[in-house]
Amino acid sequence: MTEFIVELYVPKDDCAAVAAAAKRLTEAAAELTAEGRGVQFVRSIFVPADETCFLLVEGASADDVRETARRAAVPVDNVAETSPEHPLGGN
């Protein structure tokens, strides 16, 4: 599966929204996986100062990831494929 970053706006004082979105995304991913479209929520990174949340999701395609977010009622701003390479020499 390919890794995707899902970006969404979250007010800086709304940590609960991140937890709720992650829970709904996990449930929607399980639903799509049961339908034969493998999707898995991996983790979230919340940057309160920027009012941004990044969700790492594995899936076969960006469309599957977008559909997972739609079913989870997670209003995404962007979905982008991550790079498996570490050009700066990281692990």
Side-chain angles (χ1 to χ4, degrees), residues 23 31 41:
K23 182 177 188 244
E31 189 178 291
F41 169 72

Side-chain angles (χ1 to χ4, degrees), residues 27-81:
E27 292 166 353
E31 189 178 291
L32 260 77
T33 296
E35 295 172 8
R37 298 164 69 185
V39 179
Q40 181 179 357
F41 169 72
V42 178
R43 72 174 146 167
S44 63
I45 300 169
F46 181 36
V47 186
D50 291 338
E51 296 189 317
T52 304
C53 181
F54 299 98
L55 306 170
L56 183 61
V57 180
E58 292 180 342
S61 70
D63 287 339
D64 285 349
V65 173
R66 284 186 194 91
E67 176 61 14
T68 303
R70 186 193 68 74
R71 290 187 189 191
V74 173
V76 302
D77 291 328
N78 189 35
V79 174
E81 185 175 334

